[in-house]
Amino acid sequence: MTTAVGAARRGTSAGAVLQVFYRVPRAGAVRLSDGGGPLGFDITAALQIDHLIGAYDCDGIVETGCFVGDSTEYFARRYPHLPVRTCDIDADATAVASHRLADLTNVTVETGDSAQLLPQLLSGLSRPLVYLDAHWYSSWPLARELHTVTRGLIVVDDFDIGHPRFGYDAYDQVVCGPQLVADARADLDRMWVGNPYADYPLPCLQTGRRAGRGFLTVGLPPGPLDDSPMFTPIPLRPVVMPDWSAVEALGKERR
């Protein structure tokens, strides 16, 4: 791909993201520390995911932990050609999500334990994007969710990327980070995290909490993650966190 063609395609993709992203109501503000909105109101996360959905030609989106459906609505409106299947353990939250998304025929909302629901949500999909965000209650399902996915592109929200600007979750002193992935998936020797210093075509307007995100592939080639500056690899055996000062310097050299 030539530089000019690549830039044109990135511009088209960014425009499509922008057209939808800021039109989604931030209903999650009723409880979420980041003020709600799709993907924590971080448009760089939307750009990362948009690149991967196109590069992998994903045939569906599966989300866990939808709460009241901010990210779900974004996914459904940005990708109307894809089935969007989501769930939450909170029946009140899924009732709100189901009501607000009732006019979007590509959305399915389920209530229950995400790890138990994942086989149903993943059924019939060969290249799904699996967005794991069921991080709230004491019974944290992430390790079980990671075990359950046998093929797909996995995105883990609230992930420790080793950068002070980006928050992450921890439960019972277990950090949502690369070591958890290494322990849960013995078959994987590396993963990726979002690169804060990539040259994104749109600025992030989230001035509050930003969440890190981890990316891993199961049964799919790593090329789209390796080839994009939006992602930084992390070896898992042993885990070595990124040297962000070096990544920042390299990014400045490339611009």
Side-chain angles (χ1 to χ4, degrees):
M1 181 184 298
T2 67
T3 301
V5 172
R9 291 184 180 178
R10 287 193 299 273
T12 301
S13 175
V17 168
L18 181 61
Q19 186 174 15
V20 176
F21 190 84
Y22 290 116
R23 295 183 178 181
V24 175
R26 302 178 71 181
V30 297
R31 194 172 77 178
L32 301 179
S33 61
D34 58 16
L39 306 173
F41 203 59
D42 188 339
I43 202 167
T44 63
L47 294 167
Q48 293 163 353
I49 289 171
D50 197 68
H51 167 75
L52 294 174
I53 286 177
Y56 281 101
D57 191 22
C58 291
D59 57 355
I61 298 171
V62 171
E63 176 194 28
T64 67
C66 66
F67 190 38
V68 293
D70 290 2
S71 295
T72 317
E73 180 174 343
Y74 167 74
F75 287 141
R77 294 192 185 280
R78 171 67 186 94
Y79 309 103
H81 60 292
L82 296 180
V84 177
R85 304 168 183 174
T86 193
C87 67
D88 201 285
I89 201 167
D90 184 335
D92 291 335
T94 55
V96 172
S98 296
H99 179 75
R100 77 181 280 191
L101 304 173
D103 66 325
L104 298 171
T105 58
N106 59 329
V107 175
T108 302
V109 181
E110 302 287 351
T111 305
D113 181 278
S114 57
Q116 295 180 12
L117 285 170
L118 267 175
Q120 171 189 335
L121 299 176
L122 291 165
S123 178
L125 301 177
S126 60
R127 299 178 310 282
L129 181 126
V130 186
Y131 194 83
L132 303 181
D133 193 18
H135 311 161
W136 194 268
Y137 299 102
S138 57
S139 179
W140 188 25
L142 181 57
R144 292 185 293 126
E145 291 175 334
L146 290 170
H147 277 296
T148 302
V149 180
T150 58
R151 181 177 175 84
L153 171 68
I154 301 174
V155 185
V156 184
D157 200 3
D158 299 303
F159 197 83
D160 181 14
I161 69 169
H163 191 289
R165 178 64 179 91
F166 291 82
Y168 57 89
D169 285 348
Y171 298 88
D172 294 328
Q173 299 183 331
V174 177
V175 171
C176 181
Q179 190 59 56
L180 186 152
V181 173
D183 294 341
R185 296 296 310 223
D187 56 322
L188 302 179
D189 59 8
R190 63 180 176 138
M191 62 172 300
W192 297 258
V193 294
N195 177 5
Y197 299 109
D199 187 14
Y200 294 96
L202 298 170
C204 177
L205 301 184
Q206 173 61 279
T207 58
R209 181 186 185 274
R210 294 180 74 182
R213 287 172 183 82
F215 301 82
L216 48 150
T217 60
V218 179
L220 298 176
L225 286 153
D226 280 334
D227 295 342
S228 171
M230 289 189 287
F231 309 99
T232 297
I234 291 182
L236 295 177
R237 313 203 183 276
V239 170
V240 180
M241 298 299 280
D243 179 349
W244 288 119
S245 60
V247 173
E248 181 182 17
L250 181 61
K252 289 179 179 178
E253 288 178 5
R254 289 176 172 172
R255 291 174 191 171

